[in-house]
Amino acid sequence: MSAFIPYGAYWSTPFARWQGSFAHLHSIEFAAHVTKSALAERDIGVEAFDFAAYGLTVPQYRSFYGTPWFTAMIGATHLAGPTVNQACATGARLLSTAMGEMATSGVQTALIASGDRTSNGPHAYYPAPDKPGGTGIGENIVMESFNRDPFAKCAMVDTADNVARKVGITTEEQHEVAAYRATQYEDALKDDRAFQKRYMAAAFAVPDAGFRKTIKTLNGDEGIYPSSPEKMASLKPVMPEGSVTFAGQTHPADGSAALVVCATEDRARDLGKPGAPIIEVLAVAQGRDDVAHMPAAPIRAAHRALDLAALTIDDIDVIKSHNPFAVNDIAFARAFDLDWKKMNNFGSSLVWGHPQGPTGLRALIEMIEELEIRGGGTGLFQGCAAGDSAMAVILKVR
């Protein structure tokens, strides 16, 4: 089954490095605040939607109420829907969820949104009354998720080192990718951020925690480190006997993103910009790799998506990845005999950061805009997620 995205009916906040300008904001309330404004700017009323889903990977206060709370805050009290969590693949899973509802429940127009705050992540306590003294266990949800896969028994960075060893990827090549990705991101900042302004506010007003007043303004992403080959060369690998340095991986961040999905081309035309191109989703797929080899999982997901769309990698014009590690892009490029320099024009999560849930949505939005700039074509998004898993999306702009 295909689905359609109205051109321009999507948006992203800037991404702010954790403990930065969004650290004080409840992620669901913040996403609702942004969504209300974005829908009003596009003259899309909430009555246009008959389904919604919200993606969240870092629990927030009262997040048990999830999507119904989010939709109520934007004035859409008629909308129910699931709250989705597939770690860093949440964006693609939201799209798949909407398409599934269209296939099984007759949904015509869906709003999918995600917002996460890795800053100040919750610290959970799990009671254990059957243990000596009744003492339970605690968990720092953000940090411990990064540092310990309960099945693979390793940190996420270990999975990148494992793939680097298996494929034969050096630290120097990872640094080369990181430096090149930084120059691609700089292309999105040219002409006063012309590319980013296609989907992001030119000047983003940061609200206070009560959403009553603006406390500062962001002109694009916050907290991106400038690329320096000299500084990268001085870095040592994070793990003993590993190859991945801090320069070869992304940083946690806060932010939100959303897009509209329609069951029919006519509906997408109604909600998109007049005379705009048509965006058709051709396939969504997932994959899982060997234990503790997370950065290689997008290879399997992409193969599955290509098979579903009856395409080959040679049919793809634009590739975007969620690349928490430079290793991801190198391994993917080698598997498909590609030049990794041809991937991730205008930026990627390796540079602009990783708020988890909305990361893939922003990459999809950037892929759509790149395809529109080139006059149409077919794009492949792929990205890994916790548990050595991944998802891939293929769409066409015409």
Side-chain angles (χ1 to χ4, degrees):
M1 175 186 173
S2 295
F4 300 86
I5 299 170
Y7 182 74
Y10 40 72
W11 53 89
S12 173
T13 68
F15 284 1
R17 184 180 288 268
W18 62 342
Q19 303 309 119
S21 291
F22 297 158
H24 63 292
L25 295 168
H26 186 292
S27 62
I28 303 177
E29 293 179 333
F30 182 38
H33 170 79
V34 171
T35 297
K36 283 181 68 175
S37 176
L39 290 174
E41 288 174 5
R42 289 158 179 79
D43 196 26
I44 300 175
V46 294
E47 66 278 358
F49 303 108
D50 52 357
F51 178 78
Y54 187 86
L56 179 80
T57 74
V58 182
Q60 300 284 275
Y61 184 68
R62 302 297 193 201
S63 59
F64 175 80
Y65 286 87
T67 295
W69 183 25
F70 166 76
T71 54
M73 284 190 286
I74 67 172
T77 53
H78 67 290
L79 286 179
T83 306
V84 175
N85 176 1
Q86 196 169 342
C88 320
T90 295
R93 176 54 62 190
L94 284 166
L95 180 57
S96 178
T97 299
M99 293 173 68
E101 288 291 320
M102 289 169 183
T104 61
S105 302
V107 164
Q108 293 299 300
T109 310
L111 172 65
I112 58 174
S114 180
D116 261 334
R117 186 185 74 187
T118 60
S119 296
N120 310 316
H123 293 233
Y125 179 78
Y126 305 96
D130 58 329
K131 300 296 183 183
T135 303
I137 57 173
E139 179 184 21
N140 180 333
I141 289 178
V142 171
M143 294 302 296
E144 292 188 40
S145 296
F146 291 158
N147 293 326
R148 185 70 171 175
D149 179 328
F151 183 73
K153 305 292 192 295
C154 67
M156 288 188 176
V157 68
D158 288 314
T159 71
D161 279 325
N162 289 343
V163 173
R165 278 188 285 268
K166 183 176 182 178
V167 181
I169 301 170
T170 65
T171 299
E172 291 73 22
E173 188 175 5
Q174 294 172 51
H175 286 174
E176 184 183 1
V177 169
Y180 193 79
R181 295 288 178 252
T183 65
Q184 291 173 302
Y185 177 76
E186 290 171 3
D187 289 337
L189 307 182
K190 289 178 179 177
D191 301 321
D192 193 26
R193 295 180 46 238
F195 180 79
Q196 289 186 348
K197 287 178 181 177
R198 287 169 162 257
Y199 64 88
M200 185 189 298
F204 185 83
V206 180
D208 68 349
F211 302 93
R212 293 178 295 270
K213 62 181 181 179
T214 297
I215 59 174
K216 69 184 298 184
T217 299
L218 290 184
N219 295 302
D221 301 308
E222 178 185 71
I224 293 175
Y225 287 140
S227 177
S228 168
E230 294 76 23
K231 289 184 71 173
M232 284 193 285
S234 69
L235 295 174
K236 296 185 181 301
V238 175
M239 307 300 286
E241 301 181 7
S243 65
V244 178
T245 69
F246 284 117
Q249 57 185 301
T250 191
H251 57 270
D254 307 328
S256 70
L259 57 82
V260 176
V261 188
C262 300
T264 67
E265 181 175 329
D266 287 344
R267 183 62 172 154
R269 286 191 187 278
D270 290 342
L271 296 178
K273 294 180 180 178
I278 291 298
I279 305 155
E280 182 178 6
V281 182
L282 302 180
V284 183
Q286 65 179 359
R288 187 172 185 176
D289 210 278
D290 298 337
V291 175
H293 285 75
M294 182 182 73
I299 297 167
R300 298 190 181 188
H303 274 300
R304 177 63 178 148
L306 289 166
D307 288 345
L308 288 172
L311 299 172
T312 71
I313 199 68
D314 293 332
D315 298 313
I316 302 299
D317 302 299
V318 169
I319 298 175
K320 293 285 278 193
S321 68
H322 162 49
N323 45 2
F325 302 99
V327 167
N328 286 58
D329 287 353
I330 301 168
F332 187 89
R334 291 189 187 179
F336 285 96
D337 194 24
L338 300 169
D339 180 356
W340 53 255
K341 291 184 177 180
K342 300 296 178 64
M343 301 165 54
N344 287 316
N345 293 319
F346 300 105
S348 61
S349 56
L350 183 65
V351 179
W352 35 250
H354 182 21
Q356 299 184 178
T359 308
L361 289 179
R362 175 169 171 176
L364 284 166
I365 291 166
E366 289 199 352
M367 184 167 74
I368 290 168
E369 291 296 345
E370 183 180 348
L371 286 164
E372 196 280 333
I373 287 171
R374 73 185 302 280
T378 305
L380 166 67
F381 163 75
Q382 43 83 5
C384 66
D388 307 305
S389 65
M391 290 199 73
V393 176
I394 296 175
L395 57 78
K396 187 168 188 174
V397 174
R398 52 182 171 81

